Amino acid sequence: MSEDAILVRRILQGDSSAMRELVSRFQREVYGLCVRYVGSPHDAEDISQEVFVRVFRSLKSWDANRPLRPWISRIAVNRCRTWLANRPKRPEPVDFLHETPARLIEDDSRELVDEIQKALDLLRPDYRGVFTMFHEQGCSYDEIAEVFDRPVGTIKTWLHRARTEILSYLQNRGMVPKDESAESNTLQTE
Amino acid sequence: MNEFNPSPEPNLSPECTENARRIQRFLDGESNWDTPQLLQHRLTCQQCRTLLRTAKVLQAGLQNFPPPRPSPDFTNKVLARVEQESPRFVNTRSSSRRYSRYSWGAFAAVGMALSLFLGWFTFNLVLTTQVKRSPIPPTQLAKLSLPQEANTPQPKPLGEKARETRGLFLNVAKNRLERTQRQADLLAAMTPKKEGEEDANPDTLAEAKNGMNRAIEPFTGTARRALEFFNPRPSAPPK
Ligand SMILES: [Zn+2]
């Protein structure tokens, strides 16, 4: 029996410490996804709470043979989509980076991070969600496809478009260094 | 889109398209090496050089991307909200509430099984006592049995038969209890407030619907609500 399955069983048996454990285990992912998706930390916190309420309410329908994380992320994506569809008007995106202590980020990197954040805010919510899951949460294409209930090919297309739009934005914002060395123009990873 | 769209576009040369494709793989984190052709191409293509440099900038930026964090008391807020909205999950004494909401059918089944058990037990006891108190001695009793030529199968001793029947009823009751409990569990999962189906797996939903039609009588408000949920009346407003 998986660790997740044991945790869920404890919750269904009424163990409230297990509920706390589940929230602790997944809160960063759920909140991280929601905040990128809806663009507002305040709303994301509210939506994330609602996600967990729904998770507990639906826990009995979770298939213990499948991983818990994508199942929870899927509920989060659904809640975010519903929230976006029902909200009266798109709020001004709040730059949550300003809530992050500046000393955590070097000054020169901070500008770049800030610009990437702004580029993300301009993307379609689904693109933002996919981008976040892949680049921030380290999810695989398969996992993301499961969460979004779309074929892997669609997820790849979304992610590639998201990146392309961000790359384009960064160029327009002058974030790209001048064409200096030949070394920076080779495509190599370890 | 724009000029850096990785999907093949008629206005992009095959080398530019290949460059864009490899840059996506680079950002995927795959091992990615230039081919001599691609290196050669970038020497003359400003657009591809810029795209590559931007990709490297993005990759570096993402490494410093601060993960969003919920508020420090997030867990407490969630649990308070769960207690408010779905108290049966937080309150350890909630099992009684849960049963009162979902399991009248199950209680009825258990009650029925118990009555039957007690009925059979009493019946069995009375008969055994009668046999024991019978004024006819066992030797006489043997003579009173049916003649051999009738050759009818010997009835099983009453105790065994009663046990068998009891077992049968208990089995039925147990099955019914399990099935009812399972449907109640599914119901609990499937009928959350008003939105309902949104997060539900269609298979589970179909199973719940099917099982409910067979196994759960509308004993409770929840079951009635669920029946209305699955079979909405024509007059109900559209979702
Ligand atoms: Zn080119």
Side-chain angles (χ1 to χ4, degrees):
Chain A
M1 192 181 262
S2 72
E3 206 179 316
D4 285 343
I6 293 168
L7 183 65
V8 168
R9 196 171 63 175
R10 281 171 56 208
I11 293 170
L12 293 177
Q13 286 167 350
D15 180 348
S16 55
S17 73
M19 295 177 69
R20 186 171 286 277
E21 205 177 315
L22 184 137
V23 177
S24 301
R25 196 181 286 182
F26 295 103
Q27 60 176 342
R28 285 185 182 179
E29 278 165 344
V30 168
Y31 177 76
L33 191 55
C34 291
V35 80
R36 296 283 187 241
Y37 222 101
V38 303
S40 146
H42 180 261
D43 291 321
E45 175 121 348
D46 190 54
I47 295 167
S48 304
Q49 289 172 18
E50 203 185 324
V51 167
F52 281 104
V53 172
R54 283 182 166 257
V55 163
F56 289 126
R57 210 191 280 153
S58 319
L59 214 45
K60 287 171 185 168
S61 66
W62 172 63
D63 177 357
N65 296 315
R66 311 194 74 173
L68 189 56
R69 183 170 79 155
W71 185 79
I72 292 178
S73 295
R74 188 170 180 168
I75 293 176
V77 166
N78 284 342
R79 290 320 301 157
C80 288
R81 281 175 169 164
T82 305
W83 186 88
L84 286 171
N86 294 338
R87 77 186 160 162
K89 173 183 164 288
R90 189 190 167 107
E92 285 301 308
V94 180
D95 184 2
F96 65 89
L97 286 176
H98 291 154
E99 296 168 6
T100 310
R103 60 189 162 76
L104 288 182
I105 308 171
E106 298 293 330
D107 281 347
D108 52 343
S109 312
R110 182 172 174 82
E111 191 190 355
L112 173 59
V113 165
D114 227 347
E115 292 293 347
I116 295 173
Q117 175 60 51
K118 284 177 189 161
L120 261 175
D121 286 342
L122 296 173
L123 297 178
R124 269 173 47 177
D126 281 340
Y127 289 8
R128 284 202 294 269
V130 168
F131 187 91
T132 298
M133 287 191 74
F134 189 91
H135 284 294
E136 293 186 67
Q137 303 187 349
C139 298
S140 67
Y141 279 123
D142 285 337
E143 281 177 300
I144 303 173
E146 191 180 340
V147 167
F148 281 81
D149 199 18
R150 294 284 195 286
V152 170
T154 303
I155 299 302
K156 278 190 177 175
T157 304
W158 286 5
L159 182 60
H160 290 192
R161 284 184 184 158
R163 286 169 179 164
T164 304
E165 287 181 28
I166 292 172
L167 293 176
S168 177
Y169 178 91
L170 293 178
Q171 283 174 21
N172 292 336
R173 298 288 295 169
M175 298 304 293
V176 188
K178 294 282 176 228
D179 200 348
E180 284 159 352
S181 66
E183 193 194 337
S184 71
N185 280 317
T186 55
L187 190 56
Q188 292 184 358
T189 55
E190 286 307 310
Chain B
M1 249 329 114
N2 55 58
E3 72 266 37
F4 299 113
N5 193 329
S7 56
E9 280 185 10
N11 60 339
L12 281 185
S13 75
E15 290 84 4
C16 293
T17 305
E18 176 61 14
N19 183 64
R21 200 177 66 78
R22 280 179 178 259
I23 282 172
Q24 291 290 351
R25 286 180 57 192
F26 166 75
L27 291 171
D28 277 346
E30 289 178 26
S31 292
N32 207 337
W33 300 90
D34 281 320
T35 59
Q37 291 88 341
L38 217 50
L39 276 169
Q40 189 66 36
H41 169 71
R42 274 203 299 273
L43 288 176
T44 57
C45 181
Q46 167 80 33
Q47 189 176 292
C48 283
R49 279 203 305 274
T50 308
L51 180 60
L52 174 58
R53 282 203 310 280
T54 318
K56 289 184 170 180
V57 165
L58 173 62
Q59 199 194 39
L62 286 173
Q63 280 166 9
N64 288 318
F65 222 53
R69 297 262 193 271
S71 60
D73 56 346
F74 181 82
T75 305
N76 288 335
K77 285 182 192 164
V78 169
L79 294 181
R81 200 158 159 178
V82 171
E83 185 165 29
Q84 197 186 346
E85 296 184 25
S86 301
R88 67 200 179 88
F89 270 108
V90 185
N91 192 339
T92 48
R93 289 169 298 172
S94 62
S95 55
S96 58
R97 226 180 291 176
R98 188 172 149 201
Y99 277 107
S100 69
R101 281 181 67 190
Y102 298 115
S103 300
W104 282 112
F107 278 128
V110 169
M112 193 176 74
L114 267 176
S115 320
L116 284 165
F117 173 78
L118 283 174
W120 273 106
F121 183 78
T122 315
F123 185 51
N124 192 8
L125 191 71
V126 167
L127 280 184
T128 314
T129 316
Q130 276 178 353
V131 169
K132 273 185 186 164
R133 287 184 183 168
S134 170
I136 311 167
T139 44
Q140 293 291 324
L141 206 62
K143 286 178 189 165
L144 287 174
S145 61
L146 289 169
Q148 285 296 105
E149 56 267 29
N151 205 22
T152 51
Q154 289 292 308
K156 287 180 184 172
L158 194 60
E160 191 190 328
K161 197 171 176 184
R163 260 203 312 279
E164 195 182 312
T165 316
R166 226 157 41 213
L168 202 69
F169 271 108
L170 280 175
N171 232 355
V172 169
K174 183 166 166 280
N175 284 342
R176 185 174 168 80
L177 178 67
E178 278 175 1
R179 206 168 57 156
T180 310
Q181 185 60 55
R182 176 162 163 67
Q183 301 314 324
D185 288 347
L186 282 169
L187 266 184
M190 290 296 106
T191 54
K193 296 192 173 169
K194 48 186 188 294
E195 293 98 333
E197 298 182 57
E198 193 176 313
D199 297 327
N201 175 328
D203 291 342
T204 323
L205 199 65
E207 194 190 346
K209 180 180 177 181
N210 190 26
M212 201 176 52
N213 285 336
R214 282 186 290 112
I216 292 193
E217 285 81 7
F219 283 135
T220 65
T222 306
R224 271 196 300 278
R225 205 151 45 80
L227 280 174
E228 284 166 14
F229 173 77
F230 288 119
N231 305 304
R233 274 171 259 155
S235 59
K239 200 179 159 186

